[in-house]
């Protein structure tokens, strides 16, 4: 009963799980790149787009609470998830276009 409720709640927590796993992948990828590259930026863009897709899919869910009534999925949380994802996407895109970041000399 308890494990069934946890598994059921995890299925509603996919966007956050994708985001957490992608952060770990970006950190590991950054450890293995020897020279300055935009790999982490591109991986972050891809991860945020995938998270955005899963979040948009959550719009079809009825308002509910999960994880023993600690996490709510409702229109208010949906709005803020989309707002944060779109803000992060804009920040990453602007960082690719910034001359200040391109001219940093890493030693």
């Amino acid at each position: 009963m308890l494990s069934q409720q946890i598994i059921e709640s995890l299925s509603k927590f996919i966007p956050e799980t994708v985001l957490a796993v992608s952060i770990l992948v970006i950190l590991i990828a950054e450890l293995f790149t020897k020279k300055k590259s935009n790999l982490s930026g591109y991986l972050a863009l891809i991860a945020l787009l995938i998270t955005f897709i899963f979040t948009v899919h959550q719009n079809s869910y009825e308002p509910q609470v999960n994880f023993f009534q600690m996490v709510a999925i409702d229109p208010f949380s949906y709005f803020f998830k989309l707002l944060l994802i779109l803000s992060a996407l804009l920040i990453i895109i602007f960082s690719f276009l910034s001359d200040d970041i391109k001219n940093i000399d890493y030693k």
Side-chain angles (χ1 to χ4, degrees):
M1 172 95 174
L2 182 68
S3 62
Q4 180 66 26
Q5 188 176 7
I6 292 173
I7 291 172
E8 208 171 286
S9 294
L10 278 175
S11 68
K12 309 292 188 220
F13 209 62
I14 293 176
E16 291 83 359
T17 306
V18 168
L19 199 58
V21 169
S22 64
I23 289 170
L24 292 174
V25 169
I26 291 168
L27 287 173
I28 292 171
E30 195 64 31
L31 284 174
F32 292 112
T33 55
K34 299 209 185 268
K35 60 181 181 175
K36 177 184 157 186
S37 70
N38 291 332
L39 177 66
S40 60
Y42 291 121
L43 287 175
L45 274 176
I46 292 168
L48 284 172
L49 289 174
I50 293 171
T51 304
F52 179 79
I53 291 169
F54 281 117
T55 304
V56 168
H57 182 324
Q58 272 189 344
N59 191 26
S60 62
Y61 295 163
E62 292 293 321
Q64 56 188 296
V65 290
N66 292 317
F67 291 112
F68 308 105
Q69 300 184 355
M70 290 189 289
V71 177
I73 297 177
D74 57 2
F76 188 69
S77 67
Y78 175 74
F79 169 74
F80 275 99
K81 283 180 192 180
L82 289 180
L83 182 68
L84 289 172
I85 291 170
L86 293 175
S87 299
L89 281 170
L90 284 174
I91 289 169
I92 292 171
I93 290 170
F94 286 148
S95 71
F96 280 138
L97 302 175
S98 172
D99 290 333
D100 293 336
I101 294 176
K102 288 179 185 175
N103 296 332
I104 294 175
D105 184 28
Y106 296 101
K107 296 181 180 181

